[in-house]
Amino acid sequence: MRRRICLALPTNRACAETIATLHAEATYGAANFLVDVHVLILDSSDERTRPTHRAVVDALTPVPHVIVHLLDEEAQRVFLRTAVRASGLDDPDRLVGLMLPDGVSYGACTNRLFLIAAALGCESVHRRDSDSAYQLQHGRPVFPIAHELNCVGRRAGDVVRRVTESELDPAHANRTVVIAGASFVGDLSVDIGEIEALDNEVYQEVVSLWAPSDWTEEQRRELVSESFRGAGHEPFVRDHSVLGLVDPMRIDMCNITFHRDAYERVPLLPALDTIGSDYFLMHAIYDAGLPGVLHNRHIINFYTAERRTDAGFAAYQLRFTKFFLSMLYLNFIYERMGEAGSALLDDQNRLRSEVIAELARESARLDTAENRWRLETIDRCYRKLGGRYAAFADSIALRGAELIEQARNDIEEFALLTEVWPQLVRVSRAAAYALPSAAEWSGTS
């Protein structure tokens, strides 16, 4: 019997070529594994771009066991409103707003992927990004889905013979493999190479702001040396995979899959304008001791031209700043999850959403002095860099209290969403009627 899986692409930019290559990966997966591949494209691009994406989807060659769904934001909103209404949860407008906010949210767009995948009856979500591409070997794309479908959803003890090497704790052999991922090659995952080129000391000080406040200088230096660099520039030569606990520092959200036992239990942060808000689940999986596979089919990361404009620069630096502010809360939660370990799991080895929601609520009560220090450090360092960095420092100088409060509010909203997430998933999975009709929302191939 074929499993249903979701190969997913959220985008807010023109990416016709990425859509075509995503379809090629889906075709490869359906041809080589016993799966029906639902290609899910969540299109938040502008009115000029969306017709091009639709034309690409409509022109795709029909392939057995590959179904393509292209949803603009209105179609996504219809689905969310119907699902939230069916859940009977309080304050439905607020919940819809958390999952489809008016702005950029890396976590919210992935949460929508998770809920729609549940409605489609999928067992796993395989996420890619629109500013990335596949490596080539002998002229052929190196598709990560080969490793993902080889292991995710299987009993960990049965995956030992499917990987290059195993670091699996024998006590975890009966747990399900719930994550598989690799990293990227090419550009830094965060567009801060210019800072390093202008002033390495400033680069070191700024990047270290995401470390826990009690870390030593040596720990901070090590973190900076590894941060945002992925797998460097080493091209793919041959496959290598490791079964065990997957270190979140070794994988990227452009190249990852989650099993439903993970993403149907805990969502991602719906924070606005905050890079890294979509990385929470990999930390929870690691801290809880759930098995995964780390492989080496790294994806190519590249920068789009929009980031080089003045508006794009300012928007990205704001997201970078808010990332640092989010770490006050996330570092606290990560530490507590690490201490809890297997206590994060229920008797079926699934994440306990109520425990994580309570940790988030507890973190929201932290003193914000650490975040005031972070903003002061960014202000001082960016003024030292001068130019548009100093202009950015000016733009946020009067917004410090607002940004700090936003970060606190973000974690409170994450706690709320986590509390109700299992119910939203149940409604989505059980009530596929909440989806718009095929004629309204999908191109099918």
Side-chain angles (χ1 to χ4, degrees):
M1 182 176 179
R2 286 183 173 269
R3 292 178 293 146
R4 293 183 186 181
I5 70 159
C6 178
L7 180 57
L9 177 72
T11 183
N12 63 354
R13 59 171 68 92
C15 61
E17 184 177 349
T18 305
I19 292 172
T21 56
L22 189 76
H23 186 257
E25 184 174 24
T27 301
Y28 171 88
N32 290 277
F33 297 88
L34 202 62
V35 292
D36 289 324
V37 185
H38 286 264
V39 178
L40 178 58
I41 304 159
L42 299 189
D43 191 353
S44 297
S45 60
D46 58 39
E47 292 182 0
R48 292 178 301 172
T49 303
R50 290 198 300 272
T52 301
H53 291 168
R54 168 56 63 191
V56 171
V57 168
D58 289 345
L60 293 170
T61 302
V63 175
H65 305 292
V66 175
I67 307 94
V68 182
H69 310 277
L70 175 64
L71 282 72
D72 63 18
E73 285 203 346
E74 183 54 35
Q76 296 171 48
R77 189 172 289 107
V78 168
F79 165 75
L80 291 171
R81 283 175 176 168
T82 307
V84 170
R85 190 181 306 117
S87 73
L89 292 165
D90 293 335
D91 206 349
D93 290 342
R94 181 184 183 188
L95 291 176
V96 171
L98 289 181
M99 290 182 287
L100 187 55
D102 189 14
V104 174
S105 173
Y106 302 94
C109 72
T110 309
N111 287 339
R112 299 196 297 276
L113 292 174
F114 291 157
L115 287 183
I116 296 170
L120 292 169
C122 295
E123 296 298 305
S124 54
V125 169
H126 309 247
R127 193 187 121 160
R128 310 291 182 252
D129 280 352
S130 55
D131 53 355
S132 57
Y134 302 103
Q135 292 193 73
L136 300 177
Q137 185 183 42
H138 308 307
R140 296 181 178 179
V142 180
F143 292 130
I145 204 168
H147 283 293
E148 295 169 345
L149 292 178
N150 194 43
C151 59
V152 168
R154 301 180 187 275
R155 176 181 173 274
D158 297 334
V159 173
V160 172
R161 64 180 182 275
R162 294 172 172 267
V163 293
T164 309
E165 59 179 290
S166 174
E167 298 174 354
L168 180 69
D169 184 334
H172 298 164
N174 285 323
R175 294 181 178 179
T176 300
V177 174
V178 298
I179 186 172
S183 191
F184 61 90
V185 294
D187 293 332
L188 297 176
S189 62
V190 176
D191 192 0
I192 53 174
E194 184 181 56
I195 298 178
E196 186 175 25
L198 288 171
D199 191 320
N200 185 61
E201 289 185 3
V202 165
Y203 179 85
Q204 295 284 324
E205 186 170 7
V206 169
V207 174
S208 70
L209 288 175
W210 75 297
S213 59
D214 59 352
W215 273 22
T216 66
E217 285 303 311
E218 182 179 353
Q219 287 175 307
R220 290 174 182 273
R221 283 194 298 271
E222 184 177 345
L223 177 69
V224 172
S225 70
E226 295 186 359
S227 294
F228 315 126
R229 299 187 184 278
H233 298 276
E234 192 72 24
F236 178 83
V237 177
R238 65 182 62 84
D239 280 309
H240 187 270
S241 55
V242 182
L243 172 66
L245 299 183
V246 179
D247 184 346
M249 288 292 288
R250 300 287 173 256
I251 50 180
D252 192 86
M253 283 296 289
C254 71
N255 190 2
I256 198 164
T257 185
F258 296 108
H259 187 257
R260 58 174 292 196
D261 281 358
Y263 66 78
E264 290 191 352
R265 302 296 299 170
V266 176
L268 304 174
L269 272 73
L272 274 176
D273 298 317
T274 306
I275 65 169
S277 58
D278 49 350
Y279 278 68
F280 183 86
L281 192 53
M282 59 178 71
H283 286 270
I285 289 168
Y286 178 84
D287 289 334
L290 290 172
V293 169
L294 176 66
H295 64 86
N296 67 335
R297 293 197 170 200
H298 306 304
I299 277 177
I300 300 170
N301 183 59
F302 59 84
Y303 297 150
T304 57
E306 185 272 340
R307 289 191 188 181
R308 302 308 187 199
T309 65
D310 288 341
F313 171 85
Y316 198 81
Q317 290 301 321
L318 176 62
R319 296 167 195 168
F320 190 42
T321 298
K322 291 191 69 176
F323 160 71
F324 291 130
L325 299 181
S326 73
M327 295 314 300
L328 168 65
Y329 307 103
L330 292 176
N331 283 333
F332 173 90
I333 298 171
Y334 295 160
E335 181 179 1
R336 293 299 181 89
M337 289 196 303
E339 293 169 354
S342 293
L344 294 172
L345 303 176
D346 63 16
D347 57 4
Q348 297 180 57
N349 287 320
R350 300 176 306 176
L351 292 168
R352 297 172 62 195
S353 55
E354 71 279 6
V355 173
I356 292 173
E358 181 53 38
L359 290 177
R361 290 208 181 282
E362 186 178 351
S363 77
R365 297 190 287 270
L366 292 170
D367 191 314
T368 58
E370 187 177 312
N371 273 350
R372 292 194 294 273
W373 164 74
R374 284 188 170 98
L375 286 179
E376 290 166 359
T377 302
I378 291 171
D379 184 90
R380 172 174 50 78
C381 287
Y382 277 35
R383 293 188 188 283
K384 183 178 179 182
L385 293 174
R388 59 183 183 174
Y389 292 93
F392 174 75
D394 287 338
S395 74
I396 65 168
L398 300 178
R399 297 184 59 195
E402 173 194 350
L403 294 174
I404 288 171
E405 177 59 19
Q406 283 179 8
R408 188 193 63 78
N409 186 64
D410 286 342
I411 208 68
E412 288 187 333
E413 291 186 328
F414 173 60
L416 168 67
L417 188 60
T418 303
E419 287 175 342
V420 303
W421 187 251
Q423 173 65 6
L424 289 172
V425 169
R426 281 194 295 272
V427 168
S428 297
R429 183 166 280 275
Y433 62 80
L435 292 168
S437 69
E440 293 175 311
W441 77 308
S442 77
T444 302
S445 65

